[in-house]
Amino acid sequence: MGARRPGRRRRGVRVTAPSERPDDSRTDGFRDDRRGGSGTDRDDRAAFRRAGAPRGDRPGGGQRGDRSGAAGWGDRGGGDRRGGRPFRPAVDLPRYAAYQAVAAVHRDDAYANLVLPAILREQGLTGRDAAFATELTYGTMRHTGTLDAILTDAAGRDVARIDPPVRDALRLGAYQLLHTRVPAHAAVSSTVDLVRAVGPGATGFANAVLREVAGRDADAWVAKLAPSMEADPIGHLALAYSHPQWIVRAFAEALGGDLGETTRLLIEDNERPPVHLCARPGLADPVELADAVGGAPGAFSPYAVYLAGGAPGDLPALAEGRAHVQDEGSQLVAHALATAPLDGPDGRWLDLCAGPGGKSGLLGALAAQRGARLTAVEVSEHRARLVEQATQGLPVTVLHTDGRTVGADPKLPEGHFDRVLVDAPCTGLGSLRRRPESRWRRQPSDLPPLTRLQRELLAAALRAVRPGGLVAYVTCSPHVVETHVTVTEAARRSAVPADFVDARPLLPAGMPGLGDGPTVQLWPHRHGTDAMFLAVLRRG
């Protein structure tokens, strides 16, 4: 065997380069612990016994409050017996990158889709290594609820009592054991290496917990821990498919109580979604863009391109402003508003909640083709800047203001606009497959302030549109309180008359599963899109 390259060091933790990664065919990391032969194994068993005591939840010297990151935990290892230097265990680089992302999500309330690309760049990961780190990160995020239930049982204590860095490492290890083809010995040994870096006092505890997890496959764990489908269908589905119970209940209600279809939705939520691109009309042809990026034209949106993988931010079409990343469902609802039949003038369009600018970018490109102009309103200064970047070169005016000020702000006069989009702030339950951490952050208590804001924004939109003009109310959530209840109440209470327009004919002919109208709910398991809701109203 050739000489091994020195491992790279990241923030005080020694990480192995891809060529140094432990051979997945070896078994000593798993098998030797079970026969208990080495001195290291005896040390690990002693550490496990210490971790089993109430005070043993504090690996790495008991620094429960330490939020300094992996560098501090890695540096607290014991001295090297040969040279007296601090011991820095080797950690597989893609797994360490995934750990950094997962820890940032739980420690800092970060979003994986924002922190992971930066981590991959910092660590220099590309190709298969980047793909592996991405799979570990997003897979662990999607399955956190079920993984935590399994780890609670395997550890004999609630995961909340396990030190956060060790807990995140165990989640990554359990995900590998239950949801990937990584051999059990490799998943265990690599996770123990990670724990040795981020919580060195808990390596034996981690080894024992992961060996217990490895004793059953995912289905067997669900059979052990989940309530029966007959006695508690919501509880069963929540644990089996790793969604909070209140979200499962909301999905089932939106699907008319059909638990079979609810199950299909939950399964789809846990799949890795393809990247959807929007070829901006007049600037890019979707077929040509698909050929250029190795993708495929979308099934429904005339602008959609499906991208199998890779880093879309590196594509020339995006850098040149000819395309942007946008779920096909978002494209469809914006297209529906722009193409709905309208009598009278059609040159003044309004996006009342524009950030971060995806729908404004598409509407702006369509407006450019039709001699119209879009006013894009965004209350957040940062997001307003994102809208400006997303619409550069298009006939779009960005206003940094609150969309509810229609009538009070001279730039947002009443009865002025021909088409108005209200892409209302919502729980985001329709995009959980793309932002899996959101399912664990959102709570039912988020709904009252959100639905109040949604009604106020829709009321402002109805004031802003001219008589005979159109308003599209859109949410990326299927929760009936954010969809049917909000739009019905806002229309009923509106100071101006408004009638529902059947939205189904505004979507592509032959698109299945659009329901009875007049509103439309899109679904991941039916349409391959985020769960976008669309209601179209015409002001009387």
Side-chain angles (χ1 to χ4, degrees), residues 431-447:
S431 59
L432 297 183
R433 58 187 191 146
R434 299 193 186 277
R435 291 191 173 182
E437 63 272 19
S438 293
R439 72 182 74 177
W440 312 116
R441 290 180 179 167
R442 286 299 188 186
Q443 301 293 331
S445 58
D446 296 331
L447 285 166

Side-chain angles (χ1 to χ4, degrees), residues 150-164:
I150 293 169
L151 289 170
T152 292
D153 187 87
R157 70 182 69 173
D158 194 287
V159 290
R161 296 182 57 225
I162 301 174
D163 201 56

Side-chain angles (χ1 to χ4, degrees), residues 63-131:
Q63 305 295 324
R64 178 182 294 277
D66 192 333
R67 297 288 186 178
S68 58
W73 292 307
D75 286 344
R76 284 202 302 271
D80 188 319
R81 293 175 183 174
R82 291 171 296 179
R85 295 176 300 172
F87 172 64
R88 292 183 176 89
V91 179
D92 178 52
L93 186 53
R95 290 177 170 93
Y96 180 58
Y99 167 80
Q100 287 182 298
V102 170
V105 167
H106 293 136
R107 183 185 62 237
D108 306 325
D109 284 340
Y111 286 97
N113 68 315
L114 298 180
V115 299
L116 181 60
I119 291 170
L120 296 179
R121 287 192 299 270
E122 177 188 348
Q123 307 287 20
L125 290 175
T126 59
R128 293 180 61 187
D129 291 305

Side-chain angles (χ1 to χ4, degrees), residues 42-373:
R42 289 192 293 273
D43 292 343
D44 282 350
R45 287 198 302 275
F48 175 57
R49 287 194 294 272
R50 290 194 300 273
R55 292 176 58 84
D57 292 342
R58 300 163 65 183
Q63 305 295 324
R64 178 182 294 277
D66 192 333
R67 297 288 186 178
S68 58
W73 292 307
D75 286 344
R76 284 202 302 271
D80 188 319
R81 293 175 183 174
R82 291 171 296 179
R85 295 176 300 172
F87 172 64
R88 292 183 176 89
V91 179
D92 178 52
L93 186 53
R95 290 177 170 93
Y96 180 58
Y99 167 80
Q100 287 182 298
V102 170
V105 167
H106 293 136
R107 183 185 62 237
D108 306 325
D109 284 340
Y111 286 97
N113 68 315
L114 298 180
V115 299
L116 181 60
I119 291 170
L120 296 179
R121 287 192 299 270
E122 177 188 348
Q123 307 287 20
L125 290 175
T126 59
R128 293 180 61 187
D129 291 305
F132 183 52
T134 301
E135 167 64 19
L136 291 187
T137 299
Y138 280 92
T140 300
M141 289 291 97
R142 292 187 181 99
H143 292 275
T144 293
T146 304
L147 294 176
D148 282 1
I150 293 169
L151 289 170
T152 292
D153 187 87
R157 70 182 69 173
D158 194 287
V159 290
R161 296 182 57 225
I162 301 174
D163 201 56
V166 177
R167 182 169 64 224
D168 285 331
L170 289 175
R171 286 165 170 162
L172 285 162
Y175 177 76
Q176 292 173 68
L177 286 168
L178 300 174
H179 296 285
T180 74
R181 291 179 293 179
V182 174
H185 67 267
V188 171
S189 63
S190 62
T191 304
V192 170
D193 286 343
L194 179 58
V195 170
R196 189 171 286 116
V198 302
T203 53
F205 170 69
N207 217 343
V209 170
L210 291 170
R211 283 164 46 201
E212 183 70 19
V213 173
R216 294 180 175 87
D217 63 17
D219 290 339
W221 275 112
V222 169
K224 178 184 180 184
L225 299 178
S228 71
M229 188 70 176
E230 294 74 19
D232 182 3
I234 299 298
H236 178 89
L237 292 174
L239 192 138
Y241 299 106
S242 202
H243 284 67
Q245 289 195 29
W246 75 274
I247 293 180
V248 177
R249 191 173 293 109
F251 286 171
E253 183 180 3
L255 289 165
D258 187 330
L259 294 180
E261 192 169 11
T262 302
T263 301
R264 292 193 292 275
L265 170 59
L266 298 174
I267 292 172
E268 191 66 29
D269 252 2
N270 287 334
E271 295 295 323
R272 182 177 63 183
V275 175
H276 292 177
L277 304 181
C278 176
R280 293 186 171 181
L283 299 174
D285 178 87
V287 175
E288 293 177 359
L289 179 61
D291 290 340
V293 301
F300 302 115
S301 167
Y303 322 113
V305 172
Y306 299 161
L307 192 63
D314 299 334
L315 298 175
L318 274 69
E320 297 162 2
R322 297 185 294 110
H324 60 267
V325 175
Q326 186 178 39
D327 180 78
E328 189 174 17
S330 294
Q331 299 174 38
L332 288 169
V333 296
H335 173 77
L337 172 63
T339 58
L342 179 66
D343 295 329
D346 192 14
R348 296 173 297 201
W349 299 1
L350 174 64
D351 185 348
L352 206 58
C353 313
K359 295 181 182 68
S360 290
L362 175 53
L363 289 173
L366 289 168
Q369 291 185 312
R370 291 162 52 178
R373 185 163 193 89

Side-chain angles (χ1 to χ4, degrees), residues 348-435:
R348 296 173 297 201
W349 299 1
L350 174 64
D351 185 348
L352 206 58
C353 313
K359 295 181 182 68
S360 290
L362 175 53
L363 289 173
L366 289 168
Q369 291 185 312
R370 291 162 52 178
R373 185 163 193 89
L374 175 71
T375 299
V377 176
E378 174 52 48
V379 68
S380 162
E381 182 177 0
H382 169 68
R383 288 165 68 89
R385 288 196 298 268
L386 294 178
V387 178
E388 290 176 345
Q389 296 170 12
T391 59
Q392 189 173 3
L394 298 173
V396 177
T397 300
V398 179
L399 299 182
H400 172 216
T401 190
D402 190 324
R404 293 172 291 181
T405 60
V406 169
D409 188 328
K411 295 180 181 180
L412 292 175
E414 293 190 15
H416 178 73
F417 296 94
D418 306 306
R419 299 178 190 267
V420 181
L421 173 66
V422 183
D423 184 15
C426 65
T427 55
L429 302 187
S431 59
L432 297 183
R433 58 187 191 146
R434 299 193 186 277
R435 291 191 173 182

